[in-house]
Amino acid sequence: MKRIAILIATTGGPVLVDRITPEPAPQSMVCLRRQSDVLPISADYDDFVRAGSGVIMREFGPYEEGAFRLDVSGPIGTGQSWQLGVFAAHAIFKSETAVLSDLETADLIVWLTGTVDYDLNVADVDHMAQKVESSAFVLADYIAKGTPILFGAGLENAQFLADHRPPEGITVCPLNTTHDLLEILGLVANVPETVAEESERSSKSFILMAVLTLAALVALYLFLVKDHAEEEVLQVQTPLEINLTSDRGKNPIFFFGDYLNLMVEVSEAAWVQCFYAQADGKTFRIYPNDQVKEVTRFEPNRLHILSGGENSSFAIKLGPPEGREEVACYASLQNIDIDPARPPKDSVVDVLHFDLKP
């Protein structure tokens, strides 16, 4: 039984698909680290699974339970680029010759990004350089160990990856449809030797070279430099990013009496301040506030429940005035007071817009 680790590429780092379990639940959900935290992309995942709107039940079903719980190792932001990795994970879950694996014991690591439409075509996505850069630390150890690694993406995304000459040990696979991916992974019957097997065989010479983890890490960063790699100093840092969302997604609609449940993720350890702008023009700070007993830096690459959850220190109940409102959250490496009218240059911001109705 082949052990395959599926990594969903995100700008905050690669997210491992931990496991899939059929559930007798009304809808499918994505959960964080086998806990009860349900990620905001769950509604989109349910649409991707359901017969009629999605492809998973059609391609791999039927399942008596009718829904799935997908456990992942880290948060996944808005967008649809997770679809290719989720499709691959479900194919492995259905397979009789392969199983989902962790990174340490995997026979093959598959790094994927791309959308999948109803006809199973794979489409290109944005932020490829950032996704590879944020994966560097994780993948370097496994390149040095000789674990075969596949990068799978749409045709233009794969061309971008190939043009930047990935280090030995990584095979770039351009994908036109999901059938291409299933062939590569050996999940289609009666196919010739797969790219994965070729990569696994070639990795033996890679092991004999005794390449150190540091060398693999440098190679990954060279992979990202476009025209003047010789003149640039490689920095093992990712730019500070912040992602703000709600339990109803990025552009929700709320009604008077609803609770505004906010979630924040940062790419580096950072201090966070959030401000609420009402439809009548009034703005006030909602985080930190008097109900927050201890203000600390937010840990990176982790979904922080800011308001409304069991682990949050306050809740926001929405009321008049009605109209278009917003929450802006700022992240900074320094613990300083932020004026939203004149935010410091080294801070980053993400804004959640929503309609509030009676």
Side-chain angles (χ1 to χ4, degrees):
M1 192 75 75
K2 193 166 195 174
R3 298 179 60 85
I4 302 177
I6 296 295
L7 290 177
I8 296 173
T10 78
T11 55
V15 174
L16 177 74
V17 178
D18 181 18
R19 66 178 179 182
I20 297 172
T21 53
E23 296 286 346
Q27 67 179 41
S28 297
M29 65 194 74
V30 182
C31 294
L32 188 62
R33 302 186 186 96
R34 304 196 178 191
Q35 302 297 316
S36 58
D37 296 324
V38 178
L39 296 186
I41 66 165
S42 292
D44 290 336
Y45 171 60
D46 184 63
D47 291 339
F48 190 61
V49 166
R50 285 183 181 276
S53 61
V55 298
I56 297 301
M57 284 293 188
R58 186 191 72 194
E59 295 299 311
F60 305 117
Y63 293 89
E64 291 183 5
E65 292 80 0
F68 294 96
R69 173 184 168 121
L70 183 84
D71 282 285
V72 294
S73 66
I76 300 172
T78 56
Q80 307 293 326
S81 62
W82 50 266
Q83 290 180 339
L84 183 60
V86 166
F87 185 92
H90 274 279
I92 294 168
F93 177 72
K94 184 71 173 181
S95 172
E96 296 180 354
T97 60
V99 294
L100 290 171
S101 171
D102 58 28
L103 293 171
E104 291 298 327
T105 60
D107 302 312
L108 174 68
I109 296 173
V110 185
W111 183 98
L112 297 167
T113 186
T115 63
V116 177
D117 68 15
Y118 194 70
D119 298 320
L120 303 181
N121 298 306
V122 177
D124 296 298
V125 295
D126 297 328
H127 309 300
M128 291 299 293
Q130 295 95 318
K131 290 177 180 180
V132 177
E133 182 179 0
S134 64
S135 299
F137 279 113
V138 174
L139 295 180
D141 287 338
Y142 301 100
I143 294 174
K145 285 172 59 177
T147 305
I149 299 173
L150 300 184
F151 276 15
L155 300 182
E156 291 187 11
N157 286 164
Q159 187 62 54
F160 168 85
L161 295 171
D163 287 345
H164 289 75
R165 293 179 296 178
E168 186 174 358
I170 293 178
T171 301
V172 174
C173 302
L175 305 173
N176 189 37
T177 70
T178 57
H179 183 81
D180 300 334
L181 176 61
L182 298 184
E183 274 197 332
I184 290 167
L185 298 182
L187 301 180
V188 178
N190 301 318
V191 296
E193 184 180 56
T194 65
V195 174
E197 290 165 340
E198 293 174 1
S199 175
E200 187 172 3
R201 195 174 60 247
S202 66
S203 70
K204 294 177 182 177
S205 61
F206 187 64
I207 297 173
L208 294 176
M209 292 171 64
V211 179
L212 299 176
T213 298
L214 179 60
L217 181 59
V218 171
L220 274 169
Y221 275 94
L222 285 172
F223 178 27
L224 296 171
V225 180
K226 294 184 177 180
D227 299 314
H228 304 289
E230 300 85 357
E231 302 173 5
E232 294 182 2
V233 177
L234 299 178
Q235 297 181 357
V236 187
Q237 281 188 335
T238 57
L240 176 60
E241 296 180 356
I242 184 171
N243 180 47
L244 169 66
T245 188
S246 77
D247 62 344
R248 300 186 187 182
K250 197 71 173 176
N251 293 287
I253 297 175
F254 290 101
F255 296 87
F256 292 173
D258 287 345
Y259 285 91
L260 179 59
N261 300 328
L262 299 171
M263 289 155 280
V264 174
E265 179 188 0
V266 292
S267 61
E268 297 183 41
W271 301 89
V272 172
Q273 296 180 44
C274 298
F275 300 84
Y276 190 107
Q278 294 184 161
D280 60 6
K282 294 180 180 178
T283 299
F284 51 92
R285 189 168 71 178
I286 58 173
Y287 181 86
N289 58 47
D290 294 340
Q291 299 179 58
V292 180
K293 295 180 180 179
E294 184 179 3
V295 179
T296 61
R297 290 194 303 174
F298 280 32
E299 295 178 12
N301 303 319
R302 175 189 162 196
L303 200 64
H304 294 264
I305 309 299
L306 190 67
S307 65
E310 293 182 2
N311 298 324
S312 63
S313 56
F314 67 97
I316 302 172
K317 190 173 183 178
L318 297 169
E322 66 177 294
R324 187 70 169 171
E325 308 207 333
E326 69 177 45
V327 174
C329 284
Y330 296 82
S332 175
L333 298 179
Q334 307 297 323
N335 185 16
I336 55 176
D337 286 331
I338 290 179
D339 179 356
R342 294 182 295 275
K345 293 182 180 180
D346 61 350
S347 67
V348 294
V349 63
D350 193 14
V351 179
L352 177 74
H353 298 277
F354 59 91
D355 290 319
L356 180 59
K357 300 182 178 182

